């Protein structure tokens, strides 16, 4: 029986120890560290840039950490390799455009290694993040065969002095709109075939466009581990020209500002106001006239007959 | 019409009198209510409109109800003075000044209560510097200020001969207000030229005040009717408001007639005949207003469109049913039933009916303004429960009651300083009547 109790105590101690250990581990994991990340972008018609982000896990959400100074280098940490410095904003993001002074390095290499190093600030230790990007370009083109319009795109990777198409790459083919992009076909993404070509039939042929029917097609590769984020644009006149609707904003109307009131309203309102206030002013002048007449001897300007007829109230005479 | 009295007796009877004990208590009470209202308003200025129970839904509460009530009652000046004068109705002579001072005092506080309703009263100036002529609010500001000036002129011009009488009777009255009388009317000689200009000016004022009076209440109704809301979306509103305004104005005059008659012993000047005639006028106006009410409520209730349903059900059988039926019964139906019989048109029943009309009219304005605001077309998704109910805070009650006391205070002080029944006109009419006989 005693032995039995002893087993019980041992099991209890083991469980207690286990629970305490799990609790301590859990406490450690509730103090999440800030995560530094680095992304590469080659946007359409713009200089390539790097975006750093600082985020911290809060429950299941990643929340931005602002005001973290970050230095980004091309290669190793070295003053000559410094691409730029940034401080993360309210969204926990910072951006560094690759300066033109790195053009020579940029042109001669096929692969780029970027390193981000954050400076220690209050409550945050220094962090590092790095990415290696294979240099690539994205090419967009269009085909129109027997009335069928197709959008194509090829991602080409630099190999020596040549640009070689890359196969099996996921990319998006879309139409640029004011608040985002719409896919040209029905699929969200398109995969490059064995020749590196991704294509999609253009089915949204009634897309509202500018007066000439121009729309902007966009091909993009997003968050690719090897190539980063690339995008390219092409203007085509495949949209439906928008007939400019008449803009009444600057016209005189009942709902515009006071200085753009309709003329008919101004004329009517001001005529009425002017008419009524004209009468009021006339009546005030009449009171002034009565006052002037009162200051002269009673009935001075009138003949004797009138004077006799005039006079004060009989009750008080 | 009036008993034949000597001119001296008429003058002596109608000259303003110093406050007696009751008058002093009455005036002190009004001053106290005004002081409480002023204190509440200073608190509101310091803390902001947060002290009121108005909010995102009910942004027009008791202040705007009071404003509509004041605008309505002010319309009586044009009815008794202008319409009756132009129609050559002479029995109303004794009542013209009562009607005019009610109009001036009510329109004064209508303007003030609008400023009270503004969270930032200093921004009133922006209305003139950045005003939009397209806005009914701008029309209201213009027409109220115009009506105020015309009413003031219509009060002042017929007062000139009486001021002369007061100045000449200073030995009887003593010194108080002598400077004021001299400043206002020492130039009046009563000669032919002055009389001629004065009479012509009064006739012009009587003509011009009628359209302006119609405008003031029509425009006030348009503040509501130009807004697409259940209960306000009506083409009937202009006529409905004007008929209601004439009724409450006539009711106000009846109450004032009775009070002045008793306090100043004016039984020979405000006779039972006046009550009888005014009783008939009130019945006619109450029937007219009832007719517009039937139009205003029965037609939408017959159709019962979805957005109107909640509003109308609330009035007929819901949260506001007691107030609604009180306003209809006490403000219109019972006064009609009382005054339609000759015995009901005696002074005391008339006074009671007049009070009922005025009180009913005040609640009617509240019912026009507030319940509609509680039912917006697009209710807020996360609106707190208190948004769906409104009961004025003590600040609002104090300010509203202070403004009502302010109107009565102006009338009281006016009756203390000036004759509440025109002396000169009463004498002239009596002399003319005697000559005619």
């Amino acid at each position: 029986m005693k032995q039995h109790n002893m087993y019980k105590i041992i099991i209890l101690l083991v469980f207690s120890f286990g629970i305490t250990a799990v609790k301590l581990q859990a406490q450690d994991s509730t103090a999440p560290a800030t995560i530094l990340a680095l992304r590469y972008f080659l946007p359409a018609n713009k200089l390539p840039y790097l975006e750093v982000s600082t985020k911290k896990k809060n429950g299941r959400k990643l929340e931005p950490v602002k005001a973290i100074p970050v230095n980004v280098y091309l290669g190793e940490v070295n003053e000559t390799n410094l691409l730029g410095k940034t401080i993360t904003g309210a969204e926990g993001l910072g951006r560094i455009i690759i300066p033109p002074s790195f053009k020579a390095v940029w042109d001669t290499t096929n692969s780029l290694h970027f390193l981000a190093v954050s400076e220690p600030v209050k409550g945050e230790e220094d962090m590092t993040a790095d990415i290696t990007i294979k240099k690539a370009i994205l090419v967009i083109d269009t085909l129109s065969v027997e009335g069928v319009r197709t959008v194509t795109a090829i991602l080409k990777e630099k190999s020596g002095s040549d640009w070689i198409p890359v196969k099996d790459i996921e990319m998006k083919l879309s139409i640029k709109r004011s608040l985002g992009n719409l896919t040209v076909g029905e699929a969200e993404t398109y995969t490059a075939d064995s020749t590196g070509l991704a294509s999609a039939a253009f089915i949204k042929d009634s897309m509202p466009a500018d007066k000439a029917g121009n729309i902007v097609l966009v091909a993009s590769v997003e968050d690719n581990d090897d190539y980063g984020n690339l995008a390219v644009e092409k203007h085509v006149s495949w949209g439906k020209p928008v007939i400019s609707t008449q803009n009444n904003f600057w016209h005189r109307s009942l709902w515009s500002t006071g200085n753009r009131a309709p003329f008919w309203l101004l004329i009517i309102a001001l005529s009425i106001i002017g008419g009524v206030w004209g009468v009021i002013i006339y009546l005030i002048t009449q009171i002034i006239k009565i006052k002037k007449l009162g200051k002269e001897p009673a009935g001075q300007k009138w003949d004797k007959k009138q004077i006799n007829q005039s006079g004060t109230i009989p009750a008080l005479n | 019409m009036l008993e034949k009295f000597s001119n001296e007796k008429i003058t002596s009877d109608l000259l303003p009198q110093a406050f007696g004990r009751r008058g002093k208590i009455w005036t002190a009470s009004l001053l106290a209510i005004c002081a409480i209202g002023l204190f509440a308003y200073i608190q509101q200025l310091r803390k902001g409109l947060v002290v009121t129970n108005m909010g995102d839904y009910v942004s027009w509460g008791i202040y705007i109800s009071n404003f509509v009530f004041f605008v309505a009652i002010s319309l009586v000046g044009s009815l008794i003075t202008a319409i009756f004068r132009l129609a050559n109705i002479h029995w109303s002579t004794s009542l013209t000044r009562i009607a005019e001072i009610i109009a001036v005092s009510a329109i004064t506080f209508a303007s003030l209560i609008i400023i009270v309703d503004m969270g930032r009263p200093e921004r009133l100036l922006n209305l003139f510097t950045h005003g939009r002529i397209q806005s009914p609010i701008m029309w209201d500001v213009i027409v109220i200020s115009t009506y105020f000036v015309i009413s003031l002129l219509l009060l002042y011009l017929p007062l000139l001969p009486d001021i002369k009488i007061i100045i000449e009777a200073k030995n009887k009255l003593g010194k108080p207000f002598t400077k004021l009388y001299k400043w206002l009317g020492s130039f009046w000689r009563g000669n032919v030229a002055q009389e001629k200009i004065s009479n012509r000016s009064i006739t012009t004022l009587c003509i011009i005040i009628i359209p302006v009076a119609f405008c003031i209440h029509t425009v006030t109704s348009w503040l509501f009717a130009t807004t697409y809301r259940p209960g306000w979306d009506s083409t009937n509103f202009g006529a409905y408001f004007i008929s209601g305004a004439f009724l409450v104005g006539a009711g106000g005059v009846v109450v004032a007639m009775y009070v002045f008659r008793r306090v100043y012993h004016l039984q020979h000047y405000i006779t039972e005949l006046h009550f009888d005639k005014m009783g008939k006028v009130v019945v006619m106006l109450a029937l007219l207003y009832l007719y517009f009410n039937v139009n205003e409520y029965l037609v939408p209730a017959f159709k019962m469109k979805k957005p109107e349903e909640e509003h109308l059900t609330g009035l007929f059988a819901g949260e506001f049913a007691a107030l609604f039926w009180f306003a209809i019964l006490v403000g219109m139906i019972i006064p009609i039933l009382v005054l339609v019989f000759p015995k009901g048109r005696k002074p005391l029943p008339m006074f009671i009916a007049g009070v009922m009309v005025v009180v009913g009219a005040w609640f009617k304005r509240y019912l026009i303004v507030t319940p509609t605001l509680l039912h917006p077309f697009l209710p807020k998704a996360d609106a707190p429960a208190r948004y769906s109910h409104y009961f004025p805070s003590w600040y609002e009650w104090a300010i509203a009651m202070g403004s009502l006391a302010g109107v009565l205070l102006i009338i009281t002080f006016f009756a203390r300083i000036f004759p509440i029944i025109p002396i000169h006109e009463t004498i002239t009419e009596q002399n003319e009547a005697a000559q005619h006989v």
Side-chain angles (χ1 to χ4, degrees):
Chain A
M1 188 72 183
K2 273 185 180 177
Q3 201 178 14
H4 200 72
N5 283 342
M6 207 163 162
Y7 283 136
K8 276 185 179 174
I9 290 166
I10 289 166
I11 290 166
L12 201 68
L13 283 171
V14 168
F15 267 100
S16 303
F17 179 77
I19 289 165
T20 312
V22 168
K23 271 189 176 175
L24 284 171
Q25 201 178 2
Q27 277 173 4
D28 281 345
S29 65
T30 54
T34 302
I35 304 161
L36 177 68
L38 188 60
R39 295 168 78 201
Y40 167 81
F41 287 85
L42 180 60
N45 308 321
K46 286 179 185 168
L47 289 171
Y49 66 88
L50 293 147
E51 186 183 86
V52 293
S53 69
T54 45
K55 289 182 180 169
K56 191 178 269 186
K57 205 168 184 184
N58 183 7
R60 290 185 174 184
K61 281 184 180 175
L62 275 174
E63 289 184 348
V65 181
K66 63 179 181 180
I68 305 285
V70 182
N71 297 336
V72 180
Y73 301 91
L74 179 61
E76 292 176 355
V77 177
N78 188 321
E79 199 58 35
T80 54
N81 291 344
L82 183 66
L83 290 171
K85 294 181 177 183
T86 183
I87 298 172
T88 54
E91 299 294 320
L93 298 174
R95 182 180 288 191
I96 291 163
I97 295 170
I98 296 173
S101 56
F102 284 82
K103 187 177 183 302
V105 185
W106 181 266
D107 288 343
T108 52
T109 183
N110 293 345
S111 177
L112 301 155
H113 180 248
F114 299 104
L115 180 65
V117 181
S118 73
E119 291 177 15
V121 288
K122 197 179 177 184
E124 299 288 349
E125 291 179 359
D126 58 333
M127 297 165 281
T128 58
D130 68 317
I131 50 167
T132 302
I133 294 293
K134 289 180 185 172
K135 224 168 92 178
I137 53 166
L138 197 55
V139 180
I140 186 169
D141 205 355
T142 54
L143 289 170
S144 186
V145 181
E146 293 176 357
V148 179
R149 290 162 172 171
T150 310
V151 182
T152 61
I154 303 175
L155 181 74
K156 290 179 178 174
E157 176 191 319
K158 195 171 186 195
S159 174
S161 59
D162 298 326
W163 293 93
I164 300 163
V166 184
K167 60 182 179 182
D168 299 333
I169 288 284
E170 288 276 315
M171 56 180 91
K172 286 185 175 178
L173 300 173
S174 42
I175 308 161
K176 194 174 186 178
R177 308 304 294 167
S178 297
L179 301 172
N181 294 345
L182 284 174
T183 56
V184 294
E186 285 175 356
E188 272 296 312
T189 57
Y190 297 86
T191 310
D193 60 15
S194 56
T195 62
L197 188 76
S199 63
F202 183 84
I203 56 171
K204 294 174 179 166
D205 53 356
S206 59
M207 189 62 57
D210 64 10
K211 285 178 188 172
N214 289 320
I215 55 168
V216 180
L217 299 174
V218 183
S220 59
V221 172
E222 292 180 5
D223 286 330
N224 187 285
D225 291 341
D226 293 328
Y227 305 102
N229 297 273
L230 296 93
V232 65
E233 293 176 359
K234 184 178 173 70
H235 290 249
V236 288
S237 57
W238 288 359
K240 186 180 173 185
V242 170
I243 298 157
S244 176
T245 52
Q246 200 179 359
N247 185 349
N248 290 328
F249 186 78
W250 298 105
H251 290 191
R252 288 181 176 275
S253 65
L254 283 175
W255 50 89
S256 63
T257 52
N259 57 349
R260 285 198 293 273
F263 280 120
W264 62 264
L265 180 69
L266 282 172
I267 291 165
I268 292 171
L270 294 177
S271 307
I272 294 170
I273 295 165
V276 173
W277 276 92
V279 173
I280 292 172
I281 291 163
Y282 165 75
L283 291 169
I284 291 168
T285 61
Q286 293 302 295
I287 292 172
I288 294 166
K289 207 169 169 183
I290 291 172
K291 201 170 181 179
K292 278 182 185 168
L293 282 167
K295 282 178 182 169
E296 295 160 3
Q300 189 188 36
K301 288 187 175 177
W302 301 78
D303 57 34
K304 281 187 178 178
K305 194 179 173 186
Q306 283 175 316
I307 292 168
N308 291 337
Q309 282 173 348
S310 68
T312 51
I313 301 300
L316 301 168
N317 286 335
Chain B
M1 197 175 282
L2 295 176
E3 283 182 61
K4 181 82 178 79
F5 292 121
S6 69
N7 294 343
E8 288 79 2
K9 178 163 171 52
I10 293 173
T11 308
S12 159
D13 285 349
L14 300 182
L15 278 174
Q17 297 167 28
F19 288 138
R21 193 165 150 268
R22 279 188 303 178
K24 283 175 185 166
I25 293 169
W26 165 254
T27 311
S29 310
L30 291 178
L31 281 169
I33 298 168
C34 284
I36 294 167
L38 188 66
F39 170 76
Y41 181 55
I42 291 167
Q43 292 296 310
Q44 183 184 299
L45 277 180
R46 286 179 62 194
K47 297 176 184 172
L49 282 174
V50 70
V51 301
T52 70
N53 278 346
M54 290 188 282
D56 287 31
Y57 278 11
V58 178
S59 52
W60 285 357
I62 198 174
Y63 297 152
I64 298 297
S65 311
N66 235 11
F67 162 74
V68 181
F69 174 78
F70 286 144
V71 170
I73 206 163
S74 75
L75 217 66
V76 75
S78 70
L79 172 73
I80 304 284
T81 313
I83 297 175
F84 285 2
R85 185 188 279 264
L86 291 175
N88 257 335
I89 294 169
H90 292 291
W91 63 262
S92 66
T93 304
S94 310
L95 312 179
T96 52
R97 196 155 294 152
I98 294 174
E100 269 310 314
I101 189 59
I102 289 175
V104 169
S105 54
I107 205 69
T108 304
F109 272 87
S111 318
L112 291 176
I113 205 77
I114 280 288
I115 298 169
V116 167
D117 191 58
M118 297 174 70
R120 298 282 301 272
E122 78 279 6
R123 291 188 179 174
L124 184 70
L125 192 66
N126 290 351
L127 207 61
F128 299 97
T129 53
H130 300 93
R132 294 174 65 246
I133 197 72
Q134 300 100 309
S135 164
I137 289 178
M138 195 67 206
W139 308 340
D140 217 30
V141 170
I142 294 167
V143 81
I144 284 175
S145 46
T146 307
Y147 187 70
F148 174 74
V149 174
I150 294 175
S151 295
L152 215 55
L153 289 174
L154 198 53
L155 182 69
Y156 176 62
L157 273 169
L159 200 61
L160 283 171
D162 286 0
I163 293 175
K164 178 182 162 60
I165 294 170
I166 298 169
I167 292 170
E168 290 181 359
K170 66 181 176 186
N171 294 335
K172 289 182 189 174
L173 290 172
K175 279 191 174 177
F177 315 118
T178 305
K179 279 187 181 174
L180 177 70
Y181 295 139
K182 284 188 174 171
W183 181 71
L184 283 173
S186 62
F187 53 84
W188 181 261
R189 299 276 175 269
N191 59 41
V192 174
Q194 283 184 325
E195 290 266 9
K196 193 177 173 186
I197 295 170
S198 173
N199 288 338
R200 197 173 54 205
S201 300
I202 291 169
T203 308
T204 310
L205 278 168
C206 287
I207 293 167
I208 203 165
I209 201 172
I210 296 168
V212 174
F214 271 67
C215 278
I216 189 173
H217 220 50
T218 306
V219 168
T220 303
S221 81
W222 287 351
L223 292 180
F224 301 91
T226 51
T227 314
Y228 181 45
R229 299 290 294 259
W232 292 351
D233 180 30
S234 164
T235 53
N236 189 32
F237 249 43
Y240 167 60
F241 266 51
I242 286 175
S243 61
F246 277 141
L247 174 63
V248 61
V253 167
V254 168
V255 174
M257 278 164 67
Y258 182 84
V259 173
F260 285 125
R261 184 177 191 258
R262 273 191 68 113
V263 173
Y264 292 126
H265 310 291
L266 301 173
Q267 285 82 351
H268 299 303
Y269 304 93
I270 301 174
T271 62
E272 290 200 359
L273 182 91
H274 288 101
F275 282 95
D276 184 68
K277 300 268 189 194
M278 276 306 291
K280 288 173 182 169
V281 169
V282 171
V283 170
M284 185 199 73
L285 292 171
L287 283 168
L288 188 68
Y289 190 43
L290 195 63
Y291 165 76
F292 279 111
N293 271 273
V294 169
N295 274 278
E296 192 52 41
Y297 292 107
L298 223 59
V299 176
F302 186 82
K303 290 185 283 187
M304 213 44 123
K305 286 186 281 187
K306 200 67 193 168
E308 301 269 354
E309 188 182 348
E310 199 176 355
H311 170 68
L312 289 172
T313 313
L315 289 179
F316 296 159
E319 188 184 353
F320 295 101
L323 271 185
F324 177 77
W325 293 114
F326 174 85
I328 297 287
L329 287 170
V330 173
M332 282 166 262
I333 293 171
I334 297 175
I336 291 170
L337 295 176
V338 171
L339 303 179
V340 81
F341 298 105
K343 279 189 180 174
R345 297 196 292 273
K346 299 290 177 195
L348 185 61
M350 276 287 291
F351 169 70
I352 294 166
V355 171
M356 288 167 86
V357 165
V358 173
V359 173
W362 193 90
F363 283 105
K364 191 77 175 61
R365 274 41 183 195
Y366 180 78
L367 289 169
I368 290 171
V369 175
T370 304
T372 287
L373 292 168
L374 291 171
H375 307 294
F377 276 126
L378 283 173
K380 283 176 189 273
D382 53 350
R386 66 185 170 83
Y387 278 23
S388 305
H389 303 280
Y390 169 74
F391 190 79
S393 69
W394 84 263
Y395 291 94
E396 290 171 270
W397 280 117
I399 293 170
M401 292 304 124
S403 64
L404 288 167
V407 170
L408 296 175
L409 203 61
I410 291 180
I411 298 169
T412 305
F413 280 133
F414 181 86
R416 167 66 190 91
I417 301 169
F418 300 105
I420 200 68
I421 292 178
I423 303 173
H424 176 259
E425 276 186 84
T426 307
I427 291 169
T428 310
E429 278 191 5
Q430 183 179 277
N431 291 345
E432 280 174 4
Q435 277 176 3
H436 190 70
V437 171

